[in-house]
């Protein structure tokens, strides 16, 4: 995390103090601290800036906590059907959630398909098969070697 010193002037008035607090909060956010907030009791334009910025921080904090949850439930516990859920997300926040869920779907699909096929074979159903390709590319060793060269 980057430590940024904010110069302090002894003659700061209320507007300068608020600007310094906004800067400190924005720098903390830039450095990955999603728990910081600007004062909710500010009024006027500063209050509107604080409310909007705090809401953006809240959205990013919620996304971060969801990613941590999915890392645990999907990655460690193997609950492959879990997906990101962020109630109240709008616009670009929804796009971010959708992209992450699509990534999970794409990563989980081969594992699910392999598990299904192995399970069927273990039960004696030798008629099950898997498509040996991903995104139209063959997974055969010879074709992989050709693509790598």
């Amino acid at each position: 995390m980057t430590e940024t010193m904010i110069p302090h002037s002894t003659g700061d008035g209320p507007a300068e103090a608020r600007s310094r607090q906004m800067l400190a909060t924005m720098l903390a956010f830039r450095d990955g601290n999603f728990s910081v907030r600007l004062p909710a009791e500010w009024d006027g334009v500063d209050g509107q800036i604080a409310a909007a910025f705090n809401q953006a921080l809240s959205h990013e904090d919620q996304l971060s906590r969801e990613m941590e949850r999915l890392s645990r439930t999907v990655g460690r516990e193997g609950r492959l059907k879990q997906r990101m859920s962020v109630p109240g997300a709008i616009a670009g926040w929804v796009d971010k959630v959708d992209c992450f869920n699509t990534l999970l779907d794409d990563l989980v699909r081969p594992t699910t398909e392999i598990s299904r096929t192995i399970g069927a074979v273990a039960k004696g159903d030798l008629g099950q098969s898997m498509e040996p390709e991903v995104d139209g590319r063959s997974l055969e060793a010879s074709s992989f070697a050709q693509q790598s060269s």
Side-chain angles (χ1 to χ4, degrees), residues 9-101:
S9 170
T10 54
D12 284 353
E16 181 73 18
R18 282 186 179 189
S19 293
R20 288 184 187 288
Q21 190 167 3
M22 283 184 209
L23 177 59
T25 304
M26 288 179 190
L27 291 173
F29 174 56
R30 176 203 67 192
D31 293 341
N33 182 349
F34 305 137
S35 65
V36 295
R37 297 292 185 273
L38 290 170
E41 64 273 1
W42 284 357
D43 58 0
V45 173
D46 287 348
Q48 292 174 344
I49 291 169
F53 189 69
N54 289 345
Q55 192 169 21
L57 281 164
S58 179
H59 286 314
E60 195 60 38
D61 185 45
Q62 192 176 11
L63 286 172
S64 180
R65 284 184 280 117
E66 267 296 279
M67 283 189 232
E68 288 174 21
R69 181 187 70 79
L70 289 169
S71 174
R72 184 184 67 257
T73 59
V74 175
R76 293 190 190 108
E77 298 171 10
R79 294 168 46 197
L80 302 181
K81 292 185 179 182
Q82 292 286 305
R83 293 296 177 269
M84 184 177 279
S85 174
V86 183
I90 57 171
W93 303 105
V94 171
D95 294 341
K96 207 172 194 180
V97 169
D98 289 345
C99 286
F100 191 80
N101 285 335

Side-chain angles (χ1 to χ4, degrees), residues 102-124:
T102 298
L103 175 64
L104 276 177
D105 288 340
D106 291 344
L107 292 172
V108 165
R109 189 175 303 113
T111 303
T112 304
E113 184 67 9
I114 289 168
S115 295
R116 181 192 62 77
T117 304
I118 290 173
V121 169
K123 292 177 184 174

